[in-house]
Amino acid sequence: MTGSTTDVTTSRPQTEPSRPLGWADLGIGVVAAVVLLGLGILLLRALPEDQSILVGLASYAVSGLGPLGAVAVVTLLRRRRWSDFGIRRVAGRWLAVAVGVGVVVIGLNVLVTAVVVTYTQPENIQTDYQAAATGGLAGFVGAILLGALLTPFGEEMFFRGLVANVLGRWGWWSGVLLSSAVFAVAHGINVVTPVAFLVGVAAALLLRRTGSIWPAVVVHVCNNVFSVVVPAVIALTA
């Protein structure tokens, strides 16, 4: 009957259309990341130097929480949605593809690292991370949770969800290559730099193809799991 009819369109909550991420979002995110990571570094310096396992786990936590916190700041100040950063559902086949890409990245990781170590003999900057991974069961589990899960998620949200998405508005080369270069340099100029660039390119290409951050996270997780497990296995067999 006419008297009992409900206007469905007026009963649904009206949501503001999503706006593309822009320079303001990127600027706020970068400032927030610098501040949060700076505070994290101060915390790390306050830890006892002889507690290498604790320092390694704390370093992983800072690496993940710093960029993730920066994205949270952008979300709050700019009234953003998580979907703006790529938190979207994706077909399972793309996650399977991401695992395959992750395996390829691991192979390139081994090759590139071997070449760099052979010809430059760089200083090992992964000492604390490796100490955590080889510090018994508790250290290994902590390294997996913080280094192989939290860190990839936090870094992908920032470097792909924010940086690559903003730069991608000016062409694929900006979104993929330039954001990957930023990601690599953010890890410092060392033996990790070329590996970080490879991970960044693979992750950014998957983000651009799927529009979702999850395949990028999977690639990053594969690489970091490898980096945690290998030292632990070597320590057990030594």
Side-chain angles (χ1 to χ4, degrees):
M1 295 189 298
T2 305
S4 62
T5 301
T6 302
D7 186 355
V8 177
T9 59
T10 60
S11 65
R12 293 176 181 173
Q14 299 298 312
T15 57
E16 183 180 336
S18 179
R19 297 164 290 130
L21 294 169
W23 289 113
D25 301 287
L26 183 59
I28 292 172
V30 169
V31 171
V34 170
V35 171
L36 292 173
L37 290 172
L39 292 174
I41 291 172
L42 290 177
L43 173 63
L44 292 175
R45 289 182 176 177
L47 295 176
E49 294 183 1
D50 59 342
Q51 299 293 321
S52 57
I53 297 175
L54 176 60
V55 172
L57 294 177
S59 298
Y60 277 134
V62 169
S63 297
L65 293 176
L68 188 59
V71 172
V73 170
V74 175
T75 301
L76 292 174
L77 295 183
R78 297 283 292 168
R79 301 180 65 182
R80 288 293 181 180
R81 306 170 187 171
W82 288 109
S83 59
D84 294 336
F85 301 93
I87 299 294
R88 303 187 183 97
R89 294 180 62 181
V90 65
R93 64 187 180 89
W94 280 110
L95 298 180
V97 168
V99 172
V101 172
V103 172
V104 172
V105 167
I106 289 172
L108 293 174
N109 181 345
V110 173
L111 178 61
V112 170
T113 301
V115 171
V116 172
V117 170
T118 299
Y119 288 99
T120 65
Q121 298 181 344
E123 177 185 0
N124 183 7
I125 63 168
Q126 303 287 311
T127 304
D128 291 330
Y129 293 137
Q130 293 172 358
T134 59
L137 180 59
F140 177 76
V141 172
I144 289 292
L145 294 176
L146 298 175
L149 295 178
L150 174 63
T151 296
F153 179 63
E155 291 187 342
E156 289 307 314
M157 283 291 289
F158 183 82
F159 288 101
R160 250 61 66 183
L162 178 59
V163 177
N165 268 324
V166 172
L167 296 180
R169 296 174 62 183
W170 285 268
W172 75 270
W173 65 272
S174 296
V176 175
L177 298 181
L178 187 54
S179 70
S180 299
V182 171
F183 177 63
V185 172
H187 285 75
I189 306 301
N190 49 58
V191 67
V192 176
T193 308
V195 175
F197 181 76
L198 292 173
V199 172
V201 168
L205 285 172
L206 284 169
L207 172 65
R208 184 173 180 84
R209 181 65 180 84
T210 66
S212 172
I213 202 73
W214 296 119
V217 172
V218 169
V219 171
H220 203 149
V221 166
C222 288
N223 182 77
N224 284 26
V225 166
F226 176 79
S227 298
V228 170
V229 170
V230 167
V233 172
I234 292 175
L236 286 175
T237 58

